[in-house]
Amino acid sequence: MSKWYLEKGPESDVAISSRVRLARNLEKYTFPSRISDEEAVKLVDEIKTLVLSSDKFKGYNFSYFNMQLIDPLNRQVLVEKHLISPDLARGNKPSAALISRDEKISMMVNEEDHLRIQCLFSGMQIDNAVKLGKIVDDKLDSLVEYAFDKEFGYLTCCPTNLGTGIRISIMMHLPGLAMSGYLNSIFEACSKLGVAVRGMYGEHTEAQGNLFQFSNQVTLGQSDEEIAKNIKNIAAQIIEQERRLREQLYSQNKYMMEDKIFRSLGVIQNARIISSDESLKLLSYVRMGVDMGIIKTVSTETLNEIMLITRPACLQKIIGRELSPEERDIERANLIRSRLNTNSGEH
Amino acid sequence: MLCQNCNKRPAKVHFTKIVNNSKVEMYLCEQCANEKSGLNINIGMPTDLNNLIAKFMGVPAEFPSFESVPRCTNCGMDFHEFQKTGKLGCSKCYAAFGERLKPLLKRIHGSVTHTGKVPARVSSTIETTREIERLQQLLQQAIIEEKYEDAAIIRDRIQELKSGRSNTGEAKSGGQFYE
């Protein structure tokens, strides 16, 4: 169903995904904060026509999603796949998303800015994400007139994105740091270095399953490359710390760690009812076990897939109908069991 | 109701103080409340904690209400509205509010000048501007170091760039002296 998670990216034992987001506005339209519905429809149509009909975008096979025409469940599926923001998914104004077939590129139209270009890669691939973002941005730049100022750079609706309009983020799985109680000191260090830490689904979301997103705060006065270098350096250090702590925890508490990991696997492989929260929590320990070579019967790709398809909207999409929360917990348990047992040969 | 301390200004703060286990309640104006409490009570401060931008701006201190409020002539947004929402209305707002935005930008980004990627349509002019700025710094340096021959070459190159006669082979070869 999805694409990026089917690949196992570099440093995938800690780095889950790398993402670049560019905020852009068109000179001729009012910003989304004040745009009329009539003008917004024109904007959406203009971008849709450009992307779907221009030769420049042919190879990417973009699909178009009008937020006011697709139903809430399908919008939520796109949120769970990290292809659109929860804000866009509200669908309360004329807005759209254009998504490439491999789901590495998505463009949101009339979100907080006229255009949000996103490139998403598996594992630690910040450079590839930045590179693809630049290619897509240059293509659009040749087709529209961006709002730009010599002094302030790319003009954005909110001054926090002004300048480069770039937000580079990396999602990391940090059970080692969490278990040894070092998360807060990492977060403090990050905030001093201009790096924001958020939960899995970006702004205003909670951290679930020891998954954290690290992204740059400053967008003005540094080049895209400098910002990328900064995030890469910080991510590299966190990855190193996380690996070191996992090893240390394991060497000092072998049986406790193995117990936690195999109990998690046991529960998730046998549960008949499981909530989204519980599954994320257990998957975190199972993933750590797989990444450390303690569990050998499950692959990272299977875990990535399970993590996505057990989210509420994706789950209902797979089952093919709307489910009550109780039904979801049952279907989630079924789906996880079938995925894990097919791949591991256990029952 | 007038302030119970100065009896001049209108009371805006309900002030409670515990002295030796007994409660003293007073209705004070902003100024007297500040003096009495030693705390900086600022009534005009937005109470919405989520609205960080507005908090960043320090609204009442910087912009007394008698001062005229700048307004963007393109989209009609005024500066107070921006302070409330933290969002600008159109690309022209930046020009309309420019000087007032700079302290905020400095606080958010530590900088007020873009140095990154630029759109293709303006890239040549911006690159020229950035090159002139770079050369002007080199020129100052050359003068301080009393390298007058280099300084003359740099000065000529700046003149060339300013008059638009740039990017000739001759100018490029001259450029090697200070690359």
Side-chain angles (χ1 to χ4, degrees), chain A residues 27 30-31 33-34 134 137-138 141 145-146 148 151-157 159-160 162-163 219-222, chain B residues 75-77 81-82 86-92 94 102 105 109 111-115 117-121 126:
Chain A
E27 179 61 36
T30 315
F31 285 169
S33 58
R34 278 178 93 83
K134 187 176 182 303
D137 186 40
D138 287 345
D141 180 33
E145 192 187 334
Y146 280 148
F148 181 86
E151 188 179 9
F152 293 140
Y154 290 95
L155 301 176
T156 53
C157 187
T160 51
L162 188 67
T219 57
L220 183 67
Q222 292 179 13
Chain B
C75 72
M77 175 173 273
E81 203 181 332
F82 164 68
K87 288 181 180 178
L88 293 154
C90 71
S91 61
K92 304 283 186 289
Y94 280 97
K102 281 180 182 172
L105 295 174
H109 300 288
S111 166
V112 293
T113 315
H114 177 58
T115 53
K117 188 173 188 261
V118 303
R121 72 185 153 89
I126 287 181

Side-chain angles (χ1 to χ4, degrees), chain A residues 3-220:
Chain A
K3 322 286 192 239
W4 69 264
Y5 67 82
L6 293 175
E7 295 171 5
K8 186 174 172 176
E11 326 291 349
S12 66
D13 58 329
V14 181
I16 307 289
S17 61
S18 303
R19 176 155 52 157
V20 161
R21 185 272 280 147
L22 297 168
R24 296 287 185 261
N25 286 286
L26 273 58
E27 179 61 36
K28 65 176 171 181
Y29 294 106
T30 315
F31 285 169
S33 58
R34 278 178 93 83
I35 202 169
S36 66
D37 278 4
E38 200 183 329
E39 228 188 330
V41 169
K42 269 191 207 158
L43 164 74
V44 169
D45 281 347
E46 179 175 344
I47 300 295
K48 175 192 170 188
T49 312
L50 283 179
V51 174
L52 295 183
S53 63
S54 165
D55 286 345
K56 291 177 191 286
F57 293 106
K58 272 240 161 70
Y60 300 109
N61 292 300
F62 275 99
S63 300
Y64 171 78
F65 301 88
N66 183 322
M67 287 301 132
Q68 290 185 310
L69 297 180
I70 68 169
D71 60 74
L73 178 66
N74 280 308
R75 295 201 294 258
Q76 197 53 35
V77 168
L78 296 177
V79 174
E80 290 177 358
K81 288 168 131 187
H82 298 277
L83 293 170
I84 66 170
S85 66
D87 193 36
L88 194 81
R90 275 189 264 285
N92 51 7
K93 58 181 182 181
S95 57
L98 287 141
I99 298 168
S100 69
R101 185 184 282 168
D102 61 8
E103 298 185 356
K104 281 183 180 154
I105 310 169
S106 77
M107 296 179 204
M108 292 190 276
V109 190
N110 200 31
E111 206 242 19
E112 185 181 288
D113 293 294
H114 293 148
L115 269 169
R116 289 282 177 101
I117 305 162
Q118 176 191 277
C119 298
L120 184 59
F121 282 74
S122 179
M124 170 72 148
Q125 295 197 65
I126 287 176
D127 286 338
N128 285 336
V130 171
K131 211 185 289 169
L132 184 60
K134 187 176 182 303
I135 291 171
V136 177
D137 186 40
D138 287 345
K139 287 180 194 291
L140 280 163
D141 180 33
S142 67
L143 299 169
V144 298
E145 192 187 334
Y146 280 148
F148 181 86
D149 178 87
K150 277 199 308 237
E151 188 179 9
F152 293 140
Y154 290 95
L155 301 176
T156 53
C157 187
C158 181
T160 51
N161 298 312
L162 188 67
T164 54
I166 200 169
R167 190 82 60 210
I168 300 176
S169 56
I170 177 156
M171 183 146 74
M172 293 197 271
H173 180 226
L174 305 174
L177 282 159
M179 286 167 85
S180 27
Y182 282 118
L183 276 180
N184 277 335
S185 54
I186 290 277
F187 295 167
E188 273 167 35
C190 282
S191 86
K192 282 179 196 149
L193 295 165
V195 171
V197 189
R198 298 191 178 92
M200 199 170 164
Y201 288 94
E203 270 177 85
H204 317 301
T205 61
E206 278 176 47
Q208 290 170 307
N210 296 320
L211 293 165
F212 300 91
Q213 250 187 68
F214 295 79
S215 56
N216 63 297
Q217 272 167 327
V218 168
T219 57
L220 183 67

Side-chain angles (χ1 to χ4, degrees), chain B residues 112-133:
Chain B
V112 293
T113 315
H114 177 58
T115 53
K117 188 173 188 261
V118 303
R121 72 185 153 89
V122 290
S123 68
S124 61
T125 56
I126 287 181
E127 273 158 26
T128 307
T129 313
R130 286 182 186 168
E131 178 67 2
I132 290 172
E133 282 166 9

